[in-house]
Amino acid sequence: MLVRKGRNMQKLTVFFILCLICSFAVAENPIIKHIYTADAAAHVFNGRVYVYTTHDTNDANYFDTVDWHVFSSDNLENWTDHGAIFSLDDISWANKWAWAPDCAERDGKYYFYYPVERTKMGVAVSDKPTGPFKDAIGKPLIDNAIEPFAGPEPIDPAVFIDDDGQAYLYFGCRELRIVKLKENMIERKGDLHEVKIIDKEGTTLKWKDNPEIKENIQKKFGGDGVFGEAPWVFKYKGKYYMLYSNGWASDSTLIYGISDDPMGPFTYMGKVMTPVDCWTSHGSIIKFREYWYIFYHTMELSKNNYRRCICVDRLVFNEDGTIKITTPTKQGVSLK
Ligand code: FUB
């Protein structure tokens, strides 16, 4: 009898220890491990987080990507892969390089913006955030062969919808562009414009390669705050914040600027993250429930710059509205 009681006590203890471990369980970076993913564009749609990504292939030795995936979660720990929501096979006018996408919602429809071939961008539409998406216009929305002002590489679309309902499409590589979208989200409204990034003295920061400087990206490409790629715009306390990458080198990372106007100019404010072990920096920022989060990618799973993996960490603002520099964590975030 005594022996049985002892065993029951032991079982109960083990059970309580397991419960304790589970209640302390936290998410872990990278958040997606079964496939390679990059360029996380996170959104909260109907109270759930959706992350739209480039899908790096298993044997990639370049950004030779063919489709895009979306992942969703209601706790930032358990993620559902909704599969390939759109692919090059769904586009009649493009054959290669399915790069960093974004998605926006208007009146219950979801609009998926995507760059292809480093020269063009399109828009697809679905009734659900998880697709499947269909090419909405059967041709590019932006094409630098027709419109050289779109810049040398019109990639990395990012859509921001302001409180008054106006949608803005940002994009570019080394040169940042913007165009307003019509209410229908699939047509442009007005001309393309340059978005300027300025330093605190008001000087415009332009990309310029200085081949003599090998190491320091800030000096090599035109000074602190110069625009590389990966724009992402959000609003915080009435100001417009632009997250972007300052280029490609061991010291490159995600940085940001602030503006009073979504059209810019954005004043360069500093780093958002310390550099990660990856040649590209591309991320997004959202508010989910009471906290802010930054999504980004590393190459931790593969140690290969073309086989990346997305991560998430908390983002913290200082009292004055500046952003505290995030150091990427292994444990990620948990809502518990
Ligand atoms: O994923 C391909 C390209 O790498 C993206 O378009 C860039 O932002 C960089 O992350």
Side-chain angles (χ1 to χ4, degrees):
M1 191 66 170
L2 261 181
V3 175
R4 215 170 49 211
K5 262 194 180 164
R7 280 208 192 112
N8 283 345
M9 277 307 286
Q10 262 180 355
K11 277 185 192 159
L12 263 178
T13 316
V14 171
F15 176 74
F16 280 124
I17 290 173
L18 280 176
C19 286
L20 212 65
I21 291 172
C22 289
S23 67
F24 283 123
V26 287
E28 204 193 56
N29 277 323
I31 54 174
I32 304 300
K33 297 184 180 69
H34 65 289
I35 57 171
Y36 295 121
T37 54
D39 308 328
H43 290 278
V44 182
F45 295 138
N46 304 317
R48 194 172 170 87
V49 177
Y50 293 85
V51 188
Y52 297 82
T53 70
T54 302
H55 170 204
D56 287 353
T57 53
N58 286 348
D59 52 1
N61 283 308
Y62 182 62
F63 303 117
D64 234 336
T65 42
V66 298
D67 58 22
W68 296 270
H69 276 232
V70 66
F71 304 85
S72 74
S73 175
D74 62 2
N75 61 10
L76 303 179
E77 286 184 46
N78 307 107
W79 293 91
T80 305
D81 180 357
H82 298 278
I85 51 163
F86 197 58
S87 91
L88 292 177
D89 288 343
D90 302 314
I91 311 165
S92 60
W93 46 270
N95 295 310
K96 60 183 178 183
W97 302 339
W99 286 10
D102 193 18
C103 189
E105 186 269 341
R106 164 108 66 197
D107 299 331
K109 283 200 183 295
Y110 297 84
Y111 299 89
F112 182 73
Y113 300 85
Y114 55 92
V116 282
E117 302 188 350
R118 294 175 76 166
T119 52
K120 295 178 273 215
M121 301 199 310
V123 54
V125 65
S126 174
D127 290 332
K128 289 186 287 175
T130 51
F133 285 87
K134 268 187 88 169
D135 187 2
I137 52 177
K139 59 179 183 183
L141 188 61
I142 305 281
D143 182 349
N144 73 356
I146 295 171
E147 212 173 0
F149 184 68
E153 273 186 65
I155 60 168
D156 296 359
V159 172
F160 166 73
I161 304 179
D162 207 350
D163 303 334
D164 62 2
Q166 179 60 58
Y168 300 85
L169 170 64
Y170 300 82
F171 63 93
C173 179
R174 301 182 301 282
E175 289 183 28
L176 180 56
R177 298 288 184 262
I178 188 171
V179 66
K180 287 183 185 165
L181 294 174
K182 289 189 183 167
E183 181 95 15
N184 65 17
M185 301 295 279
I186 59 171
E187 283 179 279
R188 292 157 40 165
K189 181 168 138 189
D191 295 332
L192 290 184
H193 295 272
E194 178 186 1
V195 182
K196 287 199 166 129
I197 293 172
I198 56 175
D199 64 17
K200 286 180 184 151
E201 281 72 52
T203 308
T204 302
L205 298 166
K206 284 252 177 207
W207 186 270
K208 49 178 188 288
D209 194 353
N210 183 346
E212 264 133 59
I213 297 170
K214 295 262 178 306
E215 292 305 324
N216 187 324
I217 188 122
Q218 300 288 358
K219 291 193 184 130
K220 181 170 166 65
F221 293 122
D224 269 354
V226 75
F227 176 78
E229 59 185 356
W232 179 267
V233 172
F234 64 96
K235 213 168 174 179
Y236 178 74
K237 293 192 174 170
K239 300 256 183 215
Y240 301 89
Y241 285 63
M242 179 179 293
L243 172 77
Y244 58 100
S245 150
N246 60 356
W248 313 268
S250 56
D251 59 343
S252 61
T253 189
L254 289 168
I255 59 177
Y256 76 111
I258 298 182
S259 179
D260 290 322
D261 186 332
M263 304 289 287
F266 286 81
T267 305
Y268 171 59
M269 300 302 292
K271 280 186 185 155
V272 174
M273 293 192 76
T274 51
V276 296
D277 63 339
C278 190
W279 184 55
T280 53
S281 306
H282 194 127
S284 55
I285 288 173
I286 56 165
K287 186 174 186 204
F288 182 50
R289 301 187 187 149
E290 56 186 312
Y291 295 119
W292 288 82
Y293 298 93
I294 180 159
F295 289 76
Y296 57 96
H297 64 234
T298 68
M299 57 172 194
E300 193 189 320
L301 288 181
S302 67
K303 308 295 176 215
N304 179 317
N305 278 300
Y306 304 109
R307 302 172 204 173
R308 300 161 291 177
C309 42
I310 60 167
C311 302
V312 60
D313 271 300
R314 279 278 304 281
L315 181 93
V316 180
F317 291 90
N318 294 306
E319 276 292 299
D320 64 359
T322 55
I323 294 176
K324 274 206 168 95
I325 298 181
T326 302
T327 304
T329 70
K330 180 71 195 146
Q331 77 268 19
V333 294
S334 167
L335 296 189
K336 287 189 195 103

